[in-house]
Amino acid sequence: MISLIYALLKKDWEVLAATPPGKEPPEPTIYDPVLHHSHREGGYRSQKPREHRARIIQLPQP
């Protein structure tokens, strides 16, 4: 439970840090029991957006 609270607070802090001065910040993220239940059932969706795509590098064969 503590890690969930930490994750929600960290996400809100990152959004506030990225909000330009003078602009109204978005509403804080609240706990969603449906999302939490689906996560526990295997429907995990990361809260962090992917900044870069994973690349597969094939090394030359010796």
Side-chain angles (χ1 to χ4, degrees):
M1 185 60 108
I2 291 173
S3 61
L4 175 65
I5 293 169
Y6 176 79
L8 292 175
L9 287 172
K10 184 176 179 188
K11 182 179 179 215
D12 287 340
W13 179 82
E14 289 171 349
V15 168
L16 283 175
T19 303
K23 185 176 179 188
E24 186 71 26
E27 292 292 318
T29 306
I30 60 171
Y31 173 75
D32 184 2
V34 174
L35 179 65
H36 182 72
H37 182 71
S38 68
H39 171 83
R40 294 185 56 85
E41 295 294 319
Y44 178 74
R45 196 184 98 231
S46 176
Q47 293 287 325
K48 289 185 175 182
R50 291 189 75 165
E51 293 182 5
H52 56 79
R53 302 183 119 219
R55 294 187 306 180
I56 298 176
I57 300 173
Q58 185 175 4
L59 299 174
Q61 298 296 323

